[in-house]
Each structure stands twice: as C-alpha cells, then as structure tokens.
Amino acid sequence: MGTVTTLSGGAQTGRTAAPGMIYTERLVDIATWAAAEGAPLVAADILEVIRIPAESIVWGAGIEEVSPLVGESADTRFLLGVTGVDVDAFVASWDATAAAAGAYAPAATTVPVMFATADTIDLELDAATTAPTAGALRVWAVYTNVGGRVLANEVDRDQLA
C-alpha cells in the first residue's frame, strides 16, 4: 500500500464554471500510477489527484472512465475522497471493471465537502484481486473558495472614480 501524487508534475487543468466556481480535472493513467508506485498496484494504494485550497467547498467530484482498464480482475473498485477525512466522500466503491469508456461513477451523497485547510482529493484502489495495469480515468471537481475577501470600501471607490 502506498500513496503517490500527481501534483508534483504537470498542471491540473481548470476553468471557471460560474462566478466564484472553479472546475478542475486531471487524467489518471493507470500504467503511470503503477510505475510511480514502483510495483504493481494493490488494494489501498492512493493517488493524490486534485489539490484543493484552504477555505474551499467542493460541490461535487467524480470519475469518468476514459479508456477501459486492462489486466484487472472482476472485483476492481475505486474510492474518491479525502484520505484521513472521508475516503469515499465523492465516489463510494465504484466497480470500474463493469464500466465502459465514457461511463461515470455514481456520485456519493456526502457533498458538498468543506476544506478548512488545503488538502487533496484522492483516488484509492479500493479492491482488486488483480489490479489494472493500464487504462485511463478522468477525475474532476467543482469547488468555490469561500475564504475571507478584502473588498474595497466606499472611500477607496470614491478615490478611484
């Protein structure tokens, strides 16, 4: 069992979903994850996928199977959540072997989730007699940072006019 991060290399993509809301996603290549582990994946391996800043509310997050998993047993399941807080806050024990490309994991009912401190949304290999060796998943999240904002006061606006 190990924890690997995708956060040290490459940029996570993101765009504004609505005023104050941010959409972000990251592609998870199973072969790259296994190579980073230095060994075949096993149940309880964790991949830190998306960084969420402190004082943010995650309105929703999920998984899409981009390309079918390869080499796994029929019991391969994933969790999506926050390790040490709620490991399946967003997706609870999704059966990825039964999914086809383009399929989405069903959302958990525990959202929204408040992040008081900066943390990550993590993908965990929940169960697999034989873990996948290839395939790709897209992990996505929509969040809002609700930290205190310093707004211009009336005097500042008057001076700017």
Side-chain angles (χ1 to χ4, degrees):
M1 173 177 89
T3 299
V4 175
T5 184
T6 63
L7 304 174
S8 59
Q12 79 187 26
T13 60
R15 62 184 181 268
T16 301
M21 297 189 80
I22 298 166
Y23 168 82
T24 187
E25 66 181 30
R26 199 176 273 274
L27 187 66
V28 174
D29 181 290
I30 299 296
T32 302
W33 180 10
E37 285 282 351
L41 296 176
V42 295
D45 277 347
I46 297 166
L47 181 65
E48 296 173 333
V49 184
I50 295 176
R51 181 178 288 122
I52 302 296
E55 300 180 349
S56 294
I57 295 176
V58 175
W59 299 103
I63 306 168
E64 176 193 12
E65 188 159 318
V66 175
S67 63
L69 301 180
V70 175
E72 81 283 4
S73 56
D75 63 346
T76 301
R77 303 181 83 72
F78 289 97
L79 304 173
L80 187 67
V82 184
T83 303
V85 177
D86 188 351
V87 297
D88 61 358
F90 305 111
V91 173
S93 202
W94 177 50
D95 183 358
T97 30
Y104 285 85
T109 58
T110 56
V111 293
V113 176
M114 178 68 191
F115 283 70
T117 59
D119 208 334
T120 56
I121 294 176
D122 305 326
L123 180 66
E124 180 176 336
L125 181 56
D126 181 36
T129 304
T130 304
T133 56
L137 304 172
R138 180 177 65 90
V139 176
W140 59 269
V142 176
Y143 70 93
T144 302
N145 185 280
V146 295
R149 303 278 193 248
V150 178
L151 302 174
N153 64 32
E154 203 168 320
V155 174
D156 291 336
R157 286 191 302 270
D158 290 346
Q159 290 177 356
L160 293 173

